[in-house]
Amino acid sequence: PKDVQFKVGRYVGPANVTHRTYRPQTKADPRRIEQALDLIAKAKRPVFYTGGGVVNAGPEAAKTLRALVKATGFPITSTLMGLGAFPASDPQWLGMLGMHGTYEANLTMNRSDLIIAVGARFDDRVTGRLDAFAPHAKKIHIEIDPAEVHKNVTVDVGLVGDLKEVLTRLLSMVGEAKHEDWVGHINSLKGETAVRDIKNLPDSGHLYAAHVIHDLHTLTEGKALVVTDVGQHQMWEAQYYHHETPRSLITSGGLGTMGFALPAAIGAKVGKPDAEVWVVVGDGGFQMTLCELATMVQEELDVKICIINNGYLGMVRQWQEFFYQRRYAATPITGPEFEKLAQAYGVWGATVSTRGDVEPTVATARRQRGALIDFRVEQEDSVFPMVPAGNDLHNMIRRPSPIVETSAD
């Protein structure tokens, strides 16, 4: 009743709050800690595999993870949701793994003899075909939720507990080991990636999304808070914007929410008003919530928008190209002149179609209070590598190498 709603009362909360079924265990079993340390000491080809749980566990957990990785000298990879928990500039970093993960990350996982999974859940986008996943590896799984341990992949040691607490205990007892042959092999894999990477190739007159994201990272010095939508641009962002700190990437991950980026970026800017916030979004997803430009303007929020405009629902188009003989059904899309749309809302806008214009346009956008850039990128470019659904993690479709050069070069 309305009269009750208008009454003023004093709230007295419960002294203790318990959940009937969820009672997390924060301290791992000491015997399992010893088992994990034994596996770590014996490993010849180890790798850390981290996920969004590291980010969710808080900044101190991420700091402890970094210390443990440096103490062991092991290479480290991450899922999309875990990016930023470990600095991408570190030489031990392999990049993201999984369906659109790096060549070196996926092959390192496949050829390892020990996987230390930290706050990750062995999702099918990471494992590929389960019966072929890391066939020679022992597996340690550090996880707060016991229901996740052994759920998708049977592991050798499950360490159920608070991430920071478990990592701190391991850090206090682990020793550094030299794995020079393993590190050398991984470096050769990185070289294989470099000679195929489109960002390293001469300007051919075409504008690729990789150019845009790479240059955006360079110009912002990797310090922006980036919010992505869902699709090809999301994967290119994960590959080419190298995150150094937790929560510098906001993405809807497995929810696959087109239209997420702009409203989420508005929330991110309100939550962190001093951050440089960039939206990275496709032309399809942006049209689902572009009305939020009005909110951005009304609330006087300084949000920059990078539209990766290829005239398609790009990720679906890529699958149609690879697996359905280019039968582009319902994937070509039309859209407005985004620059003019931005100006109609009173937002500074620009259109870019050549690589040489990327840097000066981004530099100008950074000086505006709110900006939108429509990047007209190559229409039929694809995200590489790609692990086709149901395939082995190491069985990747790779970008053809257009130059004759070896990884040693």
Side-chain angles (χ1 to χ4, degrees), residues 368-387:
Q368 312 303 316
R369 185 169 182 81
L372 179 151
I373 308 175
D374 178 8
F375 289 102
R376 305 284 181 87
V377 299
E378 192 72 9
Q379 288 194 296
E380 291 190 83
D381 190 21
S382 295
V383 182
F384 294 101
M386 179 180 181
V387 179

Side-chain angles (χ1 to χ4, degrees), residues 153-268:
V153 171
T154 301
V155 300
D156 297 274
V157 178
L159 297 177
V160 178
D162 175 74
L163 200 61
K164 179 178 180 295
E165 193 273 340
V166 174
L167 294 175
T168 298
R169 292 181 66 186
L170 290 175
L171 179 61
S172 68
M173 293 182 275
V174 79
E176 183 180 8
K178 299 293 184 182
H179 300 95
E180 293 178 359
D181 291 343
W182 181 229
V183 171
H185 174 65
I186 291 170
N187 286 337
S188 72
L189 298 179
K190 290 181 178 181
E192 285 286 316
T193 296
V195 298
R196 292 172 181 260
D197 197 329
I198 197 167
K199 79 173 192 296
N200 296 328
L201 303 181
D203 188 350
S204 63
H206 297 272
L207 179 63
Y208 291 94
H211 297 157
V212 175
I213 305 299
H214 174 265
D215 292 349
L216 180 64
H217 172 265
T218 301
L219 290 164
T220 60
E221 299 178 326
K223 296 177 181 178
L225 194 166
V226 182
V227 186
T228 77
D229 220 79
V230 172
Q232 286 182 312
H233 70 273
Q234 181 187 32
M235 297 296 101
W236 281 315
E237 195 283 342
Q239 292 176 341
Y240 292 100
Y241 199 100
H242 305 302
H243 293 274
E244 299 291 311
T245 57
R247 301 195 186 281
S248 57
L249 169 62
I250 306 295
T251 186
S252 70
L255 293 174
T257 314
M258 291 180 69
F260 172 85
L262 179 55
I266 288 171

Side-chain angles (χ1 to χ4, degrees), residues 261-382:
L262 179 55
I266 288 171
K269 186 63 179 179
V270 171
K272 295 194 71 174
D274 295 331
E276 180 178 356
V277 176
W278 276 87
V279 171
V280 175
V281 62
D283 50 317
F286 182 68
Q287 292 187 75
M288 294 187 174
T289 50
L290 59 78
C291 57
E292 295 302 336
L293 282 171
T295 306
M296 187 181 100
V297 172
Q298 179 175 306
E299 301 303 321
E300 300 181 346
L301 297 173
D302 183 10
V303 174
K304 321 294 190 193
I305 302 166
C306 161
I307 301 177
I308 303 298
N309 183 357
N310 57 15
Y312 283 96
L313 299 176
M315 188 59 80
V316 184
R317 184 213 61 77
Q318 177 170 332
W319 281 62
Q320 290 173 336
E321 177 187 353
F322 287 179
F323 310 118
Y324 297 95
Q325 295 77 50
R326 284 192 166 90
R327 296 190 182 98
Y328 293 159
T331 48
I333 58 173
T334 59
E337 292 284 341
F338 292 115
E339 177 182 349
K340 293 180 180 178
L341 177 73
Q343 292 168 354
Y345 279 99
V347 176
W348 182 90
T351 302
V352 172
S353 56
T354 62
R355 188 173 189 185
D357 289 334
V358 174
E359 288 195 18
T361 307
V362 170
T364 301
R366 296 183 73 202
R367 296 193 294 269
Q368 312 303 316
R369 185 169 182 81
L372 179 151
I373 308 175
D374 178 8
F375 289 102
R376 305 284 181 87
V377 299
E378 192 72 9
Q379 288 194 296
E380 291 190 83
D381 190 21
S382 295

